Amino acid sequence: LSWPRQDPSMIASIVSRCGERILLARSPRHPPKMHTVLAGFVEAGERFEAAVARETWEETGLRIDEGSVSYIGSQPWPFPQSSMIAFTATADDSQPLNIDTNEILSARWFDKSEVLAATQVEGAVMQHDVAKAVLEANPDLPLLVPPKRVIARTLIDNFLGQS
């Protein structure tokens, strides 16, 4: 008897203590202005909550608030053969960011109005050609966010109170 291999991953929205701002990052593989929540693999023997804290620290230099990690949901993730386990956590948004440019291009705090405007954009904005067309039509849009039906967007909608 054998079981298929699973490589668990975590994905997390990091929200300011006041609940009005969310930390979003831009990956080198994403289109311009596409920002999303942080994600990474869980190491062997590591607790999911510890992985959220570690990945946040490694990618952004930000320390999350101890005990603030809460489970939100999960989604199958075929990259490579994984389950993406989603969390939210809080952090002091006055901490300086120290971006690991080997992992992400940039990260910054966005307020609810900026994120809400981005959620109004329809379509497959993770695709470069679709994102380009959206940004040409809306050059003042501060960011793009993942589309509905992916766990990253669920986390973003949860931050906005739209879940």
Side-chain angles (χ1 to χ4, degrees):
L1 192 65
S2 68
W3 302 99
R5 179 184 167 129
Q6 281 281 313
D7 296 319
S9 303
M10 54 65 53
I11 187 165
S13 59
I14 308 303
V15 177
S16 62
R17 289 174 178 163
C18 68
E20 293 300 314
R21 295 169 24 124
I22 187 170
L23 181 68
L24 298 176
R26 193 162 119 55
S27 166
R29 68 182 178 275
H30 291 157
K33 292 194 177 182
M34 172 58 67
H35 287 75
T36 190
V37 294
L38 302 176
F41 286 102
V42 178
E43 295 178 359
E46 185 177 36
R47 293 180 311 108
F48 283 100
E49 297 85 352
V52 171
R54 178 184 52 76
E55 285 289 339
T56 303
W57 170 252
E58 288 176 359
E59 293 183 4
T60 68
L62 192 72
R63 295 282 185 201
I64 63 170
D65 294 333
E66 190 172 333
S68 72
V69 178
S70 296
Y71 173 80
I72 300 297
S74 65
Q75 172 181 315
W77 198 253
F79 180 65
Q81 56 244 9
S82 187
S83 292
M84 188 69 77
I85 313 301
F87 299 90
T88 189
T90 60
D92 176 358
D93 61 346
S94 69
Q95 295 177 73
L97 296 177
N98 183 16
I99 307 305
D100 178 357
T101 55
N102 293 318
E103 292 281 332
I104 57 177
L105 294 176
S106 63
R108 80 172 185 84
W109 292 97
F110 290 91
D111 65 39
K112 283 189 174 184
S113 63
E114 293 172 300
V115 178
L116 185 59
T119 64
Q120 305 309 302
V121 175
E122 297 289 328
V125 293
M126 299 289 282
Q127 296 175 6
H128 286 265
D129 56 337
V130 174
K132 181 179 178 183
V134 166
L135 293 172
E136 285 173 355
N138 305 287
D140 294 331
L141 199 61
L143 77 154
L144 297 171
V145 296
K148 291 182 184 267
R149 294 179 293 286
V150 297
I151 198 77
R153 178 59 178 271
T154 301
L155 288 166
I156 291 168
D157 287 346
N158 184 64
F159 159 70
L160 293 171
Q162 298 178 350
S163 56

